[in-house]
Amino acid sequence: MIRSLPVSASYSVGFKIYIGLFFFFLFAPLLVTCVLAFNDSMFPALPWKGFSLDWFVADGPERIGIFHDQINLASIWVSVKTAFFVTILSTVVGTCGAFLFEQEEFRFKQFLYFLMLAPLVIPGVILGISILLFSNTLGLFFENRFNLDIGLLRPGFWLVVFGQFSFITTLVTLIVSARLKKFDYTLEEAALNLGANRFQVIVFITLRFLKPAIVGAMAVAFLMSFENFNTTLFLVGSDATLPINLYLQVRDGSTPVINAISFLLIIGTSTLALVNLFVQKNKSD
Amino acid sequence: MTPLSRARSRLPLLIFLTPILLWLLLLIVLPHFDLLRMSFRVENNSGDMVWSANNYLEFFREPIYWLTFTRTAVYAVIVTVLTLCIAFPVAFYITKVAPPRFKGFFSLLLLMPFWVSELVRIYGWMILLRESGVINHFLVAWGILQQPVELLYNDIAMIMGLVYTSMLFMVVPLLSVLDSLDDSLIEAAYDLGSNSATIVRSIIIPHAMPGIASGSIVVFMLSLGNYLTPNLMGGKNSLWFTEQIYNQFIASFNWNQGSAFGFLLLVISSLIIFIGLKLTNQQLSRVIR
């Protein structure tokens, strides 16, 4: 049954086969995607026609590798910019949230906490359409009342940033709160006794203590934003983010350049994830 | 309550509270009220917008809408159950059966694919399953099939894709809850003569219930609200309710109808989460952790 109890050979072998199959199921699509990025073929399919870096570096006219593919490069840049702003905004607000729910007392705290968790259980599509509706309503209101045309409220870059921010902040709040719970309040009291004010305590003591959690939350926020599709779909304007752009290409038939992008994404995200894990391990011990 | 909160000024509270209130009010509360409001607005014969429940009546009048809705909910439940059945033995193996020194390695291996965008994962499955795909290539090369067949664009492919996409959200809570199960309980039951079925039924599953509940709720919600997987892997007949919403918003440009659909999806998803929490005696704030 468990490792300390005797088990039959068939149980142990059967379980190992199951786990093997499970991990095969988990990694097969990613492996195939990566391998086919290097196939010397016009289609992301077998047979294997030899190793080639064309889908990374080729510069036309038959094949355009990712490093020369202006549309995809532009969408990667849009995604990086979006993720950058989402990360900054959600980290600042999320850290405020952690302080608010862990260290402050006020009326309706439970209710507000519940509301703060809501974005996690609202489907991303719903979040997208309701923010689209509300920004449209606001836009119409400003136009009719003050004759103001506010570009910020139309689908586009900033609406995407706000849409992603609306649920990623919850994640940041939860991650930072988890570490703030472990904070030793005698440190804070000592500083206060020695004459520091509340903000000095926060800047010099509490935030230092929270740093690993904040860095971790920033990594999570960046990845979540970079990969978001559901909410972004309804808020996106003329400059598509990478997931939206990839979706359009995948839906309407694809070339191995998508495999090349996927390969870079897989390498990039796993590196970021591993570095983050390593940093967390070192700092929290 | 921290020891410090007695003698504090209200300034820090205001500084922390303001951004949170702005965020929740402007991006969560008001937009959802707007969604509700829009769903009750209808254009009448003279082209003016009036209050009406017509958008909701339309939903019940047209079988295609409520059929899609029911189908989506039923399929999301199937996906949740399947994910649980596949993930449970894996979590059990990693925490209880495999040598402890592999635990970290296995957990890392489990997380890796889920750091990658859902789109890339689905694309991988498309390359594997489609008519010109890798699986067909091997089946034909090995002489199992004469002609390649289309494995993509059907309900089974779609359900498999959804199970794959949500796997992580089931495995992680199960790992943490099984990790906290004391081995000696299982050993004691074994020494007293219980067979494996009894141990699973009366020790492991009751202990794992919080993890099962939280995993199931998250997986259900994510499947219900998923757009990518049903859209890219499902066939012409496997319409998902989120696609209906998308069609109303983007294709028909009927935002009021789309709002009604969106609100219905929100209601069913909250309702099932609520029932799930009540049935298993859990609290939302505990489950999300």
Side-chain angles (χ1 to χ4, degrees):
Chain A
M1 189 78 213
I2 57 174
R3 55 180 94 83
S4 54
L5 297 176
V7 291
S8 68
S10 60
Y11 174 83
S12 145
V13 170
F15 221 151
K16 274 193 188 124
I17 292 175
Y18 178 77
I19 299 297
L21 284 176
F22 177 80
F23 278 106
F24 181 72
F25 170 69
L26 224 51
F27 282 95
L30 299 183
L31 276 177
V32 167
T33 308
C34 288
V35 168
L36 289 182
F38 299 99
N39 191 9
D40 191 7
S41 157
M42 288 307 285
F43 306 100
L46 287 174
W48 184 254
K49 291 182 179 167
F51 181 85
S52 152
L53 284 178
D54 275 3
W55 295 107
F56 291 88
V57 295
D59 189 11
E62 260 203 342
R63 294 176 183 180
I64 299 177
I66 170 63
F67 296 127
H68 295 280
D69 186 337
Q70 292 312 321
I71 297 171
N72 279 315
L73 283 180
S75 74
I76 291 176
W77 180 234
V78 172
S79 275
V80 170
K81 276 193 296 185
T82 311
F84 173 79
F85 285 109
V86 171
T87 306
I88 300 291
L89 271 174
S90 61
T91 307
V92 171
V93 177
T95 309
C96 283
F99 277 103
L100 182 71
F101 291 113
E102 291 301 320
Q103 296 204 337
E104 300 291 338
E105 291 298 329
F106 50 95
R107 271 206 284 173
F108 310 120
K109 181 173 164 178
Q110 270 308 310
F111 173 74
L112 202 66
Y113 188 72
F114 190 74
L115 205 61
M116 186 275 290
L117 293 179
L120 285 192
V121 288
I122 299 172
V125 171
I126 308 291
L127 213 54
I129 59 170
S130 44
I131 291 175
L132 173 68
L133 284 175
F134 183 58
S135 68
N136 185 59
T137 306
L138 273 186
L140 280 176
F141 173 78
F142 281 117
E143 205 176 303
N144 293 339
R145 193 56 69 81
F146 306 111
N147 209 12
L148 273 175
D149 183 22
I150 302 178
L152 217 65
L153 293 170
R154 271 196 303 262
F157 181 77
W158 287 104
L159 215 52
V160 172
V161 170
F162 288 131
Q164 297 182 351
F165 162 83
S166 71
F167 73 95
I168 291 175
T169 310
T170 302
L171 296 174
V172 175
T173 308
L174 290 177
I175 295 172
V176 179
S177 293
R179 179 138 175 107
L180 196 52
K181 272 191 176 46
K182 296 185 196 142
F183 182 62
D184 181 359
Y185 285 99
T186 52
L187 289 174
E188 224 180 77
E189 283 181 0
L192 288 170
N193 284 341
L194 292 169
N197 65 29
R198 183 81 202 286
F199 290 104
Q200 285 169 322
V201 170
I202 288 174
V203 171
F204 291 112
I205 297 174
T206 326
L207 280 181
R208 294 251 162 119
F209 173 80
L210 290 178
K211 205 171 141 197
I214 293 178
V215 172
M218 286 175 86
V220 171
F222 192 90
L223 278 180
M224 293 296 273
S225 161
F226 199 81
E227 294 172 354
N228 183 268
F229 180 83
N230 284 346
T231 308
T232 311
L233 180 65
F234 291 92
L235 302 174
V236 75
S238 52
D239 28 329
T241 62
L242 183 64
I244 301 285
N245 189 29
L246 283 181
Y247 165 74
L248 296 175
Q249 293 175 62
V250 167
R251 198 186 53 182
D252 309 334
S254 54
T255 63
V257 80
I258 296 174
N259 294 58
I261 300 172
S262 304
F263 174 77
L264 295 176
L265 278 180
I266 290 170
I267 298 298
T269 44
S270 355
T271 315
L272 186 59
L274 283 176
V275 167
N276 185 24
L277 204 78
F278 192 67
V279 169
Q280 299 295 309
K281 222 172 203 161
N282 272 355
K283 287 237 172 102
S284 59
D285 285 343
Chain B
M1 189 85 148
T2 67
L4 280 172
S5 51
R6 272 168 276 121
R8 253 186 201 163
S9 74
R10 304 305 275 171
L11 184 63
L13 175 64
L14 279 182
I15 290 177
F16 295 141
L17 193 58
T18 315
I20 301 295
L21 280 182
L22 280 178
W23 157 42
L24 292 174
L25 200 68
L26 288 179
L27 292 172
I28 307 296
V29 177
L30 290 178
H32 286 89
F33 274 116
D34 208 30
L35 183 74
L36 185 60
R37 186 184 69 89
M38 285 291 274
S39 71
F40 281 104
R41 303 288 277 172
V42 173
E43 198 172 335
N44 67 7
N45 292 333
S46 49
D48 296 321
M49 298 305 280
V50 291
W51 295 99
S52 155
N54 211 27
N55 293 322
Y56 291 94
L57 295 177
E58 182 72 16
F59 171 82
F60 292 103
R61 238 180 268 136
E62 285 287 334
I64 176 100
Y65 295 146
W66 57 260
L67 275 177
T68 315
F69 188 72
T70 327
R71 231 179 64 98
T72 305
V74 170
Y75 273 30
V77 171
I78 295 175
V79 167
T80 311
V81 173
L82 277 177
T83 315
L84 177 63
C85 294
I86 295 173
F88 201 89
V90 175
F92 187 76
Y93 186 85
I94 292 174
T95 49
K96 297 292 171 203
V97 182
R101 63 173 190 282
F102 288 139
K103 208 190 284 178
F105 170 71
F106 271 134
S107 312
L108 188 69
L109 214 57
L110 271 177
L111 290 182
M112 288 279 272
F114 297 95
W115 283 101
V116 183
S117 159
E118 185 187 353
L119 197 95
V120 173
R121 282 179 265 146
I122 296 304
Y123 179 62
W125 278 114
M126 292 176 75
I127 300 180
L128 278 171
L129 292 176
R130 66 180 160 205
E131 203 179 345
S132 59
V134 172
I135 291 178
N136 266 314
H137 177 82
F138 282 119
L139 288 179
V140 173
W142 292 337
I144 298 169
L145 287 180
Q146 298 297 313
Q147 289 280 331
V149 288
E150 184 64 88
L151 300 170
L152 198 65
Y153 309 123
N154 57 57
D155 286 3
I156 296 171
M158 180 183 78
I159 287 181
M160 194 215 61
L162 286 169
V163 168
Y164 183 85
T165 304
S166 12
M167 190 55 76
L168 172 85
F169 301 94
M170 190 63 94
V171 173
V172 167
L174 288 178
L175 276 180
S176 81
V177 82
L178 285 176
D179 210 26
S180 68
L181 173 63
D182 191 349
D183 284 5
S184 54
L185 288 175
I186 298 175
E187 286 159 9
Y190 181 81
D191 290 343
L192 292 170
S194 315
N195 59 23
S196 303
T198 316
I199 295 179
V200 169
R201 208 177 54 238
S202 52
I203 297 178
I204 299 175
I205 293 195
H207 181 87
M209 214 51 212
I212 295 177
S214 71
S216 302
I217 287 172
V218 175
V219 168
F220 176 80
M221 191 218 96
L222 287 176
S223 308
L224 198 67
N226 199 314
Y227 177 84
L228 257 185
T229 311
N231 189 256
L232 289 178
M233 294 183 80
K236 284 271 172 284
N237 296 319
S238 29
L239 200 57
W240 209 246
F241 198 62
T242 46
E243 293 176 272
Q244 293 278 20
I245 297 176
Y246 181 85
N247 289 344
Q248 291 298 335
F249 264 85
I250 309 295
S252 324
F253 217 70
N254 188 346
W255 285 18
N256 302 91
Q257 189 66 60
S259 306
F261 288 176
F263 202 75
L264 283 169
L265 188 70
L266 189 62
V267 168
I268 181 94
S269 133
S270 321
L271 199 70
I272 290 188
I273 291 170
F274 181 77
I275 294 172
L277 288 173
K278 277 283 167 274
L279 280 182
T280 53
N281 245 331
Q282 303 289 313
Q283 282 189 333
L284 184 65
S285 46
R286 286 236 326 275
V287 162
I288 280 177
R289 295 223 155 264

